[in-house]
Amino acid sequence: MWQHNYEPIGGSLGVSAVVAAIPILVLFFMLGVLRKPAWMSALAALISALAVALVGYGMPVQMAIISTIYGAAYGVFPIAWIVFASIMLYRLAVDTGKFEIIKDSVGSLTDDRRLQAMFIAFSFGAFIEGAAGFGAPVAVSGAMLAGLGFNPFYAAGICLLANTAPVAFGSIGIPVTTLANVTGLDELKLSAMVGRLCAMISVIIPGYLVVVMAGRKKALEVLPAIIACGVSFASVQFYVSNHMGPALTDILSSLACIIVMVAVLKLWKPKNIMRLEGDKPISVTKAQYTGGQIFMAWIPYLLLVVFVLTWGEREIKPHINGIGNSVIPASLPVAAGSADGLTAMRLMVPGLHNQITRVEPVVAKPSPYAALYELNWLSASGTACLLAILATALVLRVRPKRLVKIYVDTFKQLKLAILTIACMLGLAYLMNYSGMTSTLGLALAATGWYFPFFSAVVGWLGVFLTGSDTSANALFGNLQVVTANTLDLNPILTASVNSSAGVMGKMISVQSIAVAVAATGMTTADESRLFRFTIKHSVLLMICMAIISMLFAYVFPQYVPMP
C-alpha cells in the first residue's frame, strides 16, 4: 500500500506545488509558445508527468504506468466513443444529402452569421450538452456551422465559447449529481447554487460570443436577439435548477431558448446582414423543400435526442470512477449473465484499486483510493448515438457498405483527436493517483480569506486538466468542502463554484480543442492557434466567476443555501 504525500519536495507545499505544475506548464508551453499540435503537446505533458510522479513523488513505477493506462482507457471509452459517434452521425447526414436541407432550413430562418451562431452554437449546442455532453455539443454544432459555410476556425472558436453556459448541467445533470455524491451535500441545494452562479454568466454569453465574432457595434445591431437568447436561457436555467433539480435544467432551458429564437427569427430581421471573413455564402432556395422533407432531414438529430434521453445511463457511478472519488465501494466485476452485466461491467483495475491511501486534508480520514473502470458499453451516450446512426441508416435506406465507408472515413478524421483525448486523460489520472493534483489544490486552498476567489481557479484547473466538469467535481469537490469548513465558509458555495467556474476551463481543455478541430475539418496545426484564441476568454470568464464567488461569500451570503 502506497500513501500519498502532498508535500514531497522538502516538506514544502509551495515548492511541491511548483514541481506538480510542471506538466501543466509543459502543456501551455507546447501549445501556446511552440505552437505544437495537441496530440504532441499532450504526449509531452504526459511524459513530464511520469517523470515528476516517479522522481518527485516516489510513486511506484507499476502504479504510475497502470494509472496512465487507466486514464487513457477512460479517454477512449466513453469520451472518445461519444465524440466518434456524434461525428459519424453528422457525416451520415452529409453523405445522404440531408445536411444540405438542414443547412437551408436554418438559412431560411436567417442569413445572418451572428444569429446563426447564437441559434446553433448556443441554443442547439446547449440542448446537445444537456442530452449527451462529453464533447458531443462542440462536435455536432461545430460541424453544423462549418457545413453552413462558416470559416472553420470561427466555427470551432464560437462553439467552444458557447459551450460554457450549459456544461455544469450537462448529460442530464451528471456534474451536479457527481458533486453531491462526492461531497455528501444536498443535491437540490447544490443545483440551486450552481444555477444561480451559472445564470449570471449564461445571460451574457450570447452577447459575448457575438462581440467576439463581430465587435460591439455589430453586436448592437442584433441586440433584441441577444437579449431574447440570453434571458430566455438564463431565466429557465435559474428556475429549473432551483426548483426542479439538475437533471432537466439544460434540456428545458435550451428548449425554451430554441423556441424563443425561432420566434424572434420569424418576426424580426436585422437591418444589415453580416457575414464573416473567409466564410462561404449559403445558397438557399426557400421554396425548394416541403415540411416533410425538412422533417426527414432533421431525423438524424431527432433520433439522437430520442435515444440519448430514453437509452442513456441514469446512474452516476460510471462518470466518477478514478477521478478523486472515494465513495464508490470496492466490488468484483459484475458476473456475466446478470442483469447489470448486460449493460455494464465494473472492473477493478489490477495493481491500482485500493492500493493507494489518500490522506488528510484531501479526505476527512485516511482512505483507500478506488480504481474501478466501468464499461457501460450498452448504456453509454455514445452507444445511444450509435443506435441513432443505425436507425437513421434504416430510415434513410443507407446500404451497409456505404455505412462502413462512413465509419472508416470518420475514424481517419478523428484518429489524432482520439490519441489526444487518451493522452490527456492518462495525464489527468496520473496526476490524480500520484497526488500532484491534490498538491496544486491544497496550494490554492492555502489562500485563506481569498479562497472563494481561488476556489474558482481550482475548478477551472480541474476542467482544463480533465476536459470534464463531471471529472473536475469528483476531483476537487471534496477538497472544496474540507477547505471551506476549515475556513468557516459555506461549503455549498465553494463546491458550487468548483462546478460553475470549472466550465470556463472547458474551452481550453486540449480534448475539447482536438474535438473542435476535427469536427470542423481543420488540421492539427490549427490546435495551438485555437488554444491561443480561447485562453484569454477562458481566463477572463473564470475571473468574473471568481469575483462573483467573493461577492456571495462576503457581501450576499444570505443568498447561498445553508448545508
Side-chain angles (χ1 to χ4, degrees), residues 536-552:
K536 55 183 178 291
H537 304 296
S538 178
V539 172
L540 176 61
L541 290 170
M542 181 270 291
I543 291 174
C544 289
M545 186 59 74
I547 293 171
I548 292 171
S549 174
M550 290 287 284
L551 291 174
F552 271 110

Side-chain angles (χ1 to χ4, degrees), residues 237-275:
Q237 184 184 52
F238 178 88
Y239 179 84
V240 176
S241 62
N242 277 258
H243 298 283
M244 298 175 64
L248 293 176
T249 297
D250 272 355
I251 299 294
L252 295 180
S253 54
S254 59
L255 280 175
C257 187
I258 288 171
I259 292 170
V260 168
M261 284 298 292
V262 169
V264 168
L265 296 178
K266 287 289 187 182
L267 299 174
W268 174 86
K269 304 291 182 185
K271 291 182 179 179
N272 301 311
I273 301 298
M274 195 204 92
R275 297 197 181 279

